[in-house]
Amino acid sequence: MAGFVATVAPLLLLFFNSDWFFTREGYLDPWNYVGLFREYLDPDYLPEDYKLARLPWILAGFVAHSLLPPIGAASVLHAIFLCAMSLALFVGLFTLLRRSALAAVVAMWLGFYTPVHGSGGWDYHNTAAGALYLATFALLAAPSTVAGSRFGLASAGAMAALTIHTNITFVNFLPALALVYGWSVWLRVDRRPSLRALAIRAAWCLLGALVVTVVLGLINWNVGRRFLFFGFLLDIVVRFVGDPSNLKTFHLPWSSGFFWTARYLSFLVAVFLAGVAWLLTRRQRGSGEDRIATALVVQFVLMASVWIAWQSAGQVALDIDYFTFVLIPSCFIALAGLFASRWPAWCERHWLVTILTCWAILAAYLVGENMPGARAAAALVASSSFVGISALFLIPLAAALWRPSVVSFALLLATFALGNRLVAGSADYWLTDRCKMQPQVYAAIVDASSWLMKLDPLYRRVRIWFDENELIRPAEGCTVRVAHLANSIRTMAFMGYVVQQFPMPSVDAVPEGSITALTQGDPLLVVVSDQPTVLADWRRRLETLGMTATPVESHHVPVLASGFTLHSLRVSLIRDGAGER
């Protein structure tokens, strides 16, 4: 019961505002995935794209979008993996620590933790990767797996493979999982397992991983795609890891000071520092619970240190939030380890009151616009968001660990809820947000992209243009940039721009060569706009270059009280009696 309440609790936020639950316009990569969800059976769609390596995520999205309309498919897909993430963490922690309230509270905190809500966009592969990683953790914690069950080990290996195929970065975390598992086996048999026994268990895990990889490859091959679906991504990883200079466009070195505004690092830093201090100052008790708690803390301190090393080596590790995401599941596992020997007995006895209180406070600070302390805390951390929010998390965490009591944990809960609100930095959760329109915007992008795919089923003819500054107004006082819509539409539809130039130039600033290219072969100019004057501007520009535009089709996409139109035009040279002009 405790696990169920903790698992579904974050979904109750949807009754107040659902905007936080959908990929926003302007994102690119997650919209590629939405395209793959809908067009996976078409081998002409992204035939050699590295994103196909994330096949478990693509297949899950394909099933959802095959059965449901866009908003329903997105809602179900995102809800399943958000709940699965919390549930897997609860199961793993309860199995190891045997404390239902502790496991439920930590799992609920993870479910409410805003940096895991659509990391990189809700349709980005992180949405599934965190859940799969924690499912691997839960399977390895299962008593049968700890006892050496071949089926349990193979299942854990298969889940680990699904995790890595969804986000290859999690391959770094295999030693962390092995550490916790080895410690669990040691605790069960009360002696260190032999290398031979561990090797046999590892072989069964490897077999499970191999079987699930072959199954995924056969599925991909059966629809006309590559059997080695992970090949393209593996090539990229080898190239980037072997030569970090390939990442210089994305990587921010420590010297850039990126971390001063990196709010997404705040809670990770707080738990890391608390974990290091706990390991250095704790008293060796030698009990089974103490050994397990130590393993849970050590695995995160170890992985955070690895991520610091990757960042220092020139890799993208901590300087982008969705690359840092992989540390979050490990962080919350460690949080439970820190709490294990400090958890108030009262919270465990009154587990329902504890869980409901957590839910009420966490939810209130996300959905309430004017919560106590929110504005004062926001002002306090405005000049140094990373340091300020890290301290907001760390100080009450340290107090709860070194002077455990119901009062200190209540203080920690309140400050976590407040810090979580500050990290979110968005009104998408607020009950009073007047611009609750993200589901409709999501559906509009899918609608527009799907129409383009029917217009150009081989994804080769369309060239998209939009006005960089144009806005639509779905509701009073609420605007959406057409440029953000168009970029996401183009990315999902896997089609080209009139000119590869950012920002998109105005009609008169589009290079003549890019316009002339529209007369060669059989391309289609698609103008994304809600302004009728835009087409007149294009006709005027084309006439000055001796060209004309013939309307082919148009498609209007409503977005609440407004909308936009896709105008497809065939551009050709003007001909007169003497021939082409």
Side-chain angles (χ1 to χ4, degrees):
M1 181 63 179
F4 173 78
V5 173
T7 296
V8 302
L11 297 184
L12 298 176
L13 294 173
L14 296 173
F15 288 102
F16 304 99
N17 190 338
S18 62
D19 277 14
W20 63 277
F21 209 50
F22 292 86
T23 299
R24 296 195 68 86
E25 70 281 3
Y27 275 105
L28 299 182
D29 284 16
W31 288 107
N32 257 158
Y33 286 115
V34 178
L36 280 165
F37 296 162
R38 300 177 68 84
E39 303 297 327
Y40 174 67
L41 297 181
D42 181 359
D44 289 322
Y45 183 84
L46 292 175
E48 297 183 351
D49 192 88
Y50 71 92
K51 290 182 180 62
L52 282 164
R54 284 79 181 248
L55 193 53
W57 175 232
I58 291 169
L59 291 177
F62 166 71
V63 171
H65 281 264
S66 297
L67 299 175
L68 298 167
I71 294 178
S75 300
V76 169
L77 184 67
H78 305 162
I80 285 175
F81 282 101
L82 177 61
C83 291
M85 181 175 61
S86 296
L87 178 61
L89 180 60
F90 171 82
V91 170
L93 293 178
F94 177 73
T95 303
L96 293 174
L97 302 174
R98 309 308 298 179
R99 296 187 183 184
S100 59
L102 169 59
V105 166
V106 174
M108 184 186 296
W109 283 24
L110 174 61
F112 274 91
Y113 187 50
T114 54
V116 306
H117 292 171
S119 174
W122 269 104
D123 294 285
Y124 197 59
H125 56 271
N126 279 344
T127 297
L132 294 172
Y133 178 78
L134 288 172
T136 307
F137 166 71
L139 286 170
L140 286 172
S144 60
T145 309
V146 173
S149 163
R150 296 175 179 179
F151 178 78
L153 290 164
S155 298
M159 193 63 69
L162 290 174
T163 303
I164 294 168
H165 289 316
T166 302
N167 187 337
I168 197 171
T169 312
F170 271 112
V171 73
N172 292 273
F173 287 75
L174 294 181
L177 290 175
L179 171 70
V180 175
Y181 179 72
W183 234 303
S184 301
V185 174
W186 183 7
L187 174 63
R188 181 181 183 277
V189 301
D190 202 27
R191 67 176 184 275
R192 293 181 181 178
S194 67
L195 291 178
R196 180 177 180 275
L198 291 177
I200 292 174
R201 296 182 185 217
W204 280 104
C205 289
L206 186 61
L207 177 62
L210 181 62
V211 168
V212 80
T213 300
V214 170
V215 170
L216 290 172
L218 289 173
I219 292 172
N220 212 46
W221 175 75
N222 191 54
V223 300
R225 298 181 182 272
R226 286 182 53 168
F227 175 77
L228 297 177
F229 59 93
F230 50 83
F232 298 119
L233 180 60
L234 196 58
D235 290 342
I236 293 174
V237 170
V238 170
R239 186 168 71 252
F240 283 4
V241 173
D243 183 5
S245 65
N246 290 315
L247 290 167
K248 61 184 179 181
T249 303
F250 309 99
H251 175 67
L252 294 174
W254 292 112
S255 58
S256 69
F258 71 88
F259 47 87
W260 293 117
T261 56
R263 295 186 173 197
Y264 58 88
L265 291 176
S266 301
F267 188 67
L268 299 176
V269 169
V271 175
F272 175 74
L273 294 177
V276 171
W278 185 84
L279 291 172
L280 292 176
T281 60
R282 72 189 182 91
R283 297 178 181 178
Q284 294 280 354
R285 292 187 296 176
S287 67
E289 179 186 276
D290 189 52
R291 276 191 276 174
I292 289 295
T294 300
L296 298 183
V297 175
V298 167
Q299 58 84 30
F300 174 62
V301 171
L302 171 66
M303 293 317 305
S305 301
V306 169
W307 246 239
I308 293 171
W310 277 124
Q311 182 71 28
S312 302
Q315 297 292 330
V316 178
L318 298 172
D319 48 337
I320 299 179
D321 56 350
Y322 52 84
F323 275 88
T324 309
F325 167 83
V326 293
L327 285 173
I328 295 176
S330 176
C331 173
F332 279 84
I333 291 173
L335 185 64
L338 291 173
F339 286 167
S341 60
R342 303 290 195 272
W343 187 244
W346 186 93
C347 294
E348 202 62 35
R349 289 196 306 271
H350 303 279
W351 63 270
L352 185 58
V353 173
T354 301
I355 293 172
L356 293 179
T357 301
C358 284
W359 175 82
I361 294 176
L362 290 170
Y365 267 91
L366 283 179
V367 306
E369 182 176 358
N370 297 306
M371 293 303 297
R375 292 190 177 183
L380 178 66
V381 304
S383 59
S384 56
S385 60
F386 167 70
V387 175
I389 301 179
S390 296
L392 183 66
F393 285 129
L394 179 59
I395 293 172
L397 176 58
L401 293 176
W402 270 264
R403 290 291 184 271
S405 69
V406 174
V407 174
S408 63
F409 274 94
L411 176 63
L412 174 59
L413 169 62
T415 52
F416 176 83
L418 176 57
N420 193 40
R421 157 74 171 270
L422 297 175
V423 171
S426 170
D428 286 353
Y429 296 90
W430 294 359
L431 173 64
T432 56
D433 178 21
R434 62 181 178 180
C435 298
K436 298 176 183 178
M437 57 188 180
Q438 208 54 44
Q440 290 75 26
V441 172
Y442 186 97
I445 294 173
V446 174
D447 181 352
S449 302
S450 300
W451 181 80
L452 283 178
M453 293 174 185
K454 293 177 182 177
L455 182 70
D456 179 15
L458 294 180
Y459 320 104
R460 297 172 185 169
R461 298 173 60 201
V462 165
R463 301 292 181 268
I464 295 174
W465 180 92
F466 49 87
D467 182 346
E468 191 72 40
N469 299 312
E470 183 178 340
L471 301 174
I472 62 171
R473 291 173 173 78
E476 184 178 355
C478 305
T479 60
V480 177
R481 286 187 60 185
V482 170
H484 289 167
L485 292 167
N487 280 317
S488 296
I489 291 167
R490 175 263 165 194
T491 303
M492 179 181 162
F494 183 46
M495 294 173 181
Y497 293 109
V498 166
V499 53
Q500 292 287 348
Q501 190 173 323
F502 300 97
M504 178 67 72
S506 64
V507 175
D508 291 326
V510 174
E512 182 177 340
S514 298
I515 296 178
T516 302
L518 295 173
T519 66
Q520 300 168 2
D522 191 27
L524 289 173
L525 168 63
V526 173
V527 176
V528 183
S529 179
D530 191 42
Q531 302 297 323
T533 57
V534 169
L535 292 182
D537 292 340
W538 265 104
R539 291 191 179 95
R540 174 185 51 76
R541 177 75 195 283
L542 291 171
E543 288 175 2
T544 63
L545 297 175
M547 304 176 196
T548 186
T550 305
V552 179
E553 289 184 60
S554 64
H555 179 64
H556 181 71
V557 182
V559 185
L560 296 177
S562 66
F564 58 93
T565 303
L566 305 172
H567 306 272
S568 64
L569 309 170
R570 182 172 288 109
V571 178
S572 57
L573 296 171
I574 297 176
R575 299 173 182 272
D576 56 21
E580 292 184 354
R581 187 172 70 183

